[in-house]
Amino acid sequence: MAKEWKKQIRQVEPYTPGEQPKEKDVIKLNTNENPYPPSPMVRKLLLHPDDLRLYPDPTAGALIESLADYHKVKKEQVFVGVGSDDVLAMAFMTFFNSTKPVLFPDITYSFYDVWAELFRIPYEQPPLDSAFRIRKEDYYRENGGVVFPNPNAPTGVFERLEVIEDILKHNQDVIVIIDEAYIDFGGVSALSLLDRYENLLVVRTFSKSRSMAGLRIGYAIGHPELIQALHDVKYSFNSYTMNRPALEWGVESVKDETYFRKTTERIIATRTWFGEELRKMGFSFPESKANFLFVTHERFAAKDIFEAAKKEKIYVRYFDKPRIDNYLRITIGTDEQMKLFLEFLKGYLADKAC
Ligand code: PMP
């Protein structure tokens, strides 16, 4: 007999994160992690397990203060959460409450439609053009809010601030969220637009450029009224989202600008030479301002390369989705890792060509 209670269960199709292989010695280029360790200041700070008996500061005051100082904004303009996924989920719940559809591109971070479904938010996905660029005019229509990453994921394509500002100008009655998870790898932040657009929310993460994906810290910067609204929702949900180690290590990371710059610049340099090598082998990809490249080859199927690489313990990301099912998203690792991946590719292409 059908179980009556089943009807009460919320039906959702969850987001699928990239694989976290258990085996050792893998080259892991599939989840846009940073190949370098976090700042030595983070590694040096010893934490006291005894303190774990106490709840953390529910206001996350020290971390918020350090981020406010770093970005030269007021404390009232900063919200922190458990990775930017948590911040974005809160923001969807807080700001997207219209019967009109929220807009985000057809090719973008695949968590957006999951949250929209979870929170029953109507949405539409205007298609990117054939070069994977946003057509700003698509965002002139009536809507319940706008969200997209800049640089976009999984394409790595960065839209100039003029495009962001144009979209903001046409959408002053709704909240516009710019997800800057990858901004530190060569893009220009929309934070400078905050003074002029109080409906703008910029979301950031410690997971990529700060190399702390395992700690889970994300944050948002916006007008104090938006931040207050986010806090109200957070405190209606879970007062203690941020744990003690995250709060303490997070502050240390923000202090170390020199290391932060050194490692992001190294990743950008690796991206440049690795990209040139890929082009020589017949791969093409849109210009990336992120810590990954989104590549395709005219003659070799992405899915086959993905599977063959995995057999060699090299993990990259493949999305079996319309328009992008012949692309691989390759995270930029160390020079050494990228050299090994190129060696694999050379062997693979040579083998298939004969
Ligand atoms: N936004 C984008 C565009 C991403 O690619 C990711 C990483 N999966 C996130 C947000 C979430 O990152 P995190 O929760 O680790 O901050």
Side-chain angles (χ1 to χ4, degrees):
M1 212 175 75
K3 295 184 179 95
E4 214 30 49
W5 51 261
K6 282 198 176 176
K7 291 187 200 147
Q8 309 300 325
I9 292 176
R10 189 175 281 252
Q11 301 292 325
V12 280
E13 196 173 320
Y15 170 76
T16 319
E19 224 173 311
Q20 297 293 349
K22 296 274 183 304
E23 46 184 346
K24 295 260 183 298
D25 315 323
V26 302
I27 298 182
K28 196 167 174 306
L29 309 173
N30 67 333
T31 48
N32 297 343
E33 287 140 334
N34 195 310
Y36 303 109
S39 152
M41 302 205 12
V42 172
R43 281 178 275 156
K44 261 190 242 148
L45 179 76
L46 297 176
L47 300 182
H48 305 290
D50 287 0
D51 289 347
L52 293 178
R53 69 187 182 80
L54 299 170
Y55 281 109
D57 171 11
T59 70
L63 183 59
I64 284 188
E65 210 161 298
S66 74
L67 287 167
D69 283 352
Y70 183 77
H71 288 294
K72 301 188 175 52
V73 295
K74 294 194 229 95
K75 290 200 299 279
E76 295 72 28
Q77 288 183 270
V78 185
F79 176 82
V80 294
V82 188
S84 54
D85 279 342
D86 180 48
V87 174
L88 285 162
M90 292 275 171
F92 269 57
M93 203 194 292
T94 309
F95 301 122
F96 297 159
N97 293 292
S98 166
T99 51
K100 293 174 199 156
V102 165
L103 303 180
F104 49 87
D106 63 336
I107 301 167
T108 195
Y109 185 31
S110 45
F111 224 138
Y112 297 160
D113 56 341
V114 174
W115 288 315
E117 296 283 347
L118 175 65
F119 300 134
R120 318 257 159 96
I121 300 165
Y123 62 97
E124 282 173 17
Q125 298 191 262
L128 296 175
D129 72 12
S130 58
F132 294 143
R133 301 214 78 100
I134 284 181
R135 286 186 287 223
K136 57 187 185 331
E137 298 77 15
D138 287 344
Y139 294 81
Y140 293 175
R141 66 177 97 150
E142 263 202 284
N143 65 67
V146 173
V147 55
F148 56 85
N150 197 33
N152 198 4
T155 63
V157 171
F158 172 74
E159 298 294 349
R160 289 172 303 117
L161 276 199
E162 287 82 351
V163 176
I164 308 294
E165 180 153 21
D166 183 78
I167 290 173
L168 279 160
K169 265 192 195 137
H170 284 86
N171 286 284
Q172 307 214 22
D173 293 336
V174 295
I175 304 299
V176 175
I177 301 176
I178 307 295
D179 175 355
E180 293 193 337
Y182 302 102
I183 197 68
D184 296 317
F185 301 103
V188 181
S189 174
L191 284 173
S192 61
L193 299 174
L194 279 175
D195 288 344
R196 272 173 289 147
Y197 299 93
E198 54 186 36
N199 58 324
L200 165 64
L201 190 80
V202 175
V203 176
R204 295 279 190 97
T205 179
F206 280 45
S207 299
K208 321 292 177 182
S209 52
R210 294 198 176 275
S211 197
M212 291 167 104
L215 204 57
R216 315 302 300 128
I217 304 178
Y219 59 104
I221 301 188
H223 188 274
E225 257 183 70
L226 302 194
I227 299 304
Q228 183 59 47
L230 279 169
H231 277 129
D232 289 346
V233 168
K234 176 203 135 164
Y235 285 118
S236 310
F237 199 77
N238 176 4
S239 314
Y240 304 105
T241 52
M242 308 300 290
N243 64 55
R244 279 180 169 267
L247 291 175
E248 294 196 32
W249 274 324
V251 170
E252 290 308 297
S253 168
V254 178
K255 284 182 193 161
D256 197 351
E257 184 65 7
T258 313
Y259 182 83
F260 171 75
R261 292 215 174 274
K262 195 169 87 185
T263 46
T264 46
E265 274 161 22
R266 199 178 289 169
I267 289 167
I268 293 170
T270 306
R271 181 181 72 202
T272 306
W273 78 255
F274 174 67
E276 282 160 10
E277 293 301 312
L278 282 182
R279 282 200 210 282
K280 285 184 205 157
M281 295 165 78
F283 285 95
S284 56
F285 50 88
E287 188 191 352
S288 168
K289 294 278 189 211
N291 66 339
F292 54 83
L293 293 179
F294 197 52
V295 315
T296 188
H297 199 293
E298 252 181 25
R299 282 178 294 126
F300 302 97
K303 190 162 193 243
D304 296 343
I305 302 175
F306 163 76
E307 278 161 6
K310 196 163 155 178
K311 284 201 187 111
E312 298 300 316
K313 295 196 188 177
I314 303 173
Y315 286 73
V316 294
R317 192 86 192 258
Y318 173 74
F319 300 92
D320 200 357
K321 289 188 170 175
R323 293 188 73 191
I324 57 169
D325 60 358
N326 201 26
Y327 282 81
L328 294 175
R329 193 196 66 190
I330 306 165
T331 303
I332 304 299
T334 60
D335 285 353
E336 194 53 40
Q337 288 176 318
M338 302 330 276
K339 273 182 204 149
L340 289 169
F341 184 46
L342 285 171
E343 263 169 42
F344 156 78
L345 282 177
K346 273 180 198 145
Y348 180 87
L349 300 197
D351 210 34
K352 292 282 155 187
C354 40

